[in-house]
Amino acid sequence: MTTDSAPPKAPVLDPATLTARPGETDYPEPFRAQVAGRHRLTLGDPLGISKFGVNLTRLDPGASSALRHWHSRQDEFVYVVEGELVLVTDAGETRLAAGMCAGFPAGAADGHRLVNRGDRPARYLEVGDRSAGDVIDYSDEDMVWRDGAYHHRDGSPW
C-alpha cells in the first residue's frame, strides 16, 4: 500500500480546495438578501459532470437556500450533511436533521426552500438535473425564471 500526499486529481475532488461562493445569486433586488448567508461549493462542474449539478452548500444561521420555488422539468434532491434545517413547502414546515433527505420531482407545483433557524451553520448536498427548457416558479413572489431570465408572471422582465 502506498500513501500519496499529493492533491487528488479527477475523478477525485477535495471540496476543501474549492472557494465557496457566499450569497452568490442572480436574483433581482429585493430578493438577494435572503440568500446572503448561503455559501455554495460547486462539486460537479470541476469533475466534468454536465448532465446534473452537484453542490455542497452551507447555510449560516438565519439564511435561506433560495426563494420558495419549484421546477417544471428539473428534479431536485437534498441531503443534510451537518446541522439542522427547516424545509418550507406548501404543506408547512418540516425539520431536517443530518442524515435526512428530501426530493422534489419535476412539475410538482409545491414550492420549497431550506431555512437555517438554528444557531450554528448547517450543510447540505444538493443535486439537480439540467433539463433544457426548465421554468422555475417562485411560489410566494411575482416571479418566474424562463429562457435564461427572470420575469414577472405577466411576462414583463424584472
Side-chain angles (χ1 to χ4, degrees), residues 54-130:
V54 183
N55 298 308
L56 180 60
T57 303
R58 185 183 87 222
L59 286 184
D60 292 336
S64 293
S65 62
L67 298 174
R68 216 164 62 86
H69 68 285
W70 60 276
H71 293 263
S72 65
R73 294 187 177 183
Q74 182 185 61
D75 288 335
E76 285 186 281
F77 173 85
V78 297
Y79 177 85
V80 180
V81 175
E82 176 183 4
E84 185 175 297
L85 295 166
V86 174
L87 171 63
V88 182
T89 66
D90 289 346
E93 298 187 354
T94 305
R95 178 186 156 274
L96 297 178
M100 296 177 75
C101 59
F104 312 100
D110 184 1
H112 60 274
R113 75 176 183 164
L114 299 170
V115 180
N116 184 348
R117 296 216 175 107
D119 58 2
R120 297 182 337 204
R123 291 187 317 143
Y124 63 96
L125 188 68
E126 57 188 358
V127 179
D129 69 70
R130 296 180 177 179

Side-chain angles (χ1 to χ4, degrees), residues 4-88:
D4 186 359
S5 62
K9 295 179 183 169
V12 176
L13 175 68
D14 179 355
T17 65
L18 301 175
T19 302
R21 302 181 328 251
E24 182 180 296
T25 183
D26 60 356
Y27 283 161
E29 289 295 350
F31 305 118
R32 293 179 182 183
Q34 293 188 45
V35 295
R38 179 184 71 191
H39 307 267
R40 184 176 280 158
L41 292 173
T42 301
L43 302 181
D45 291 352
L47 294 171
I49 304 296
S50 62
K51 304 280 191 259
F52 58 92
V54 183
N55 298 308
L56 180 60
T57 303
R58 185 183 87 222
L59 286 184
D60 292 336
S64 293
S65 62
L67 298 174
R68 216 164 62 86
H69 68 285
W70 60 276
H71 293 263
S72 65
R73 294 187 177 183
Q74 182 185 61
D75 288 335
E76 285 186 281
F77 173 85
V78 297
Y79 177 85
V80 180
V81 175
E82 176 183 4
E84 185 175 297
L85 295 166
V86 174
L87 171 63
V88 182

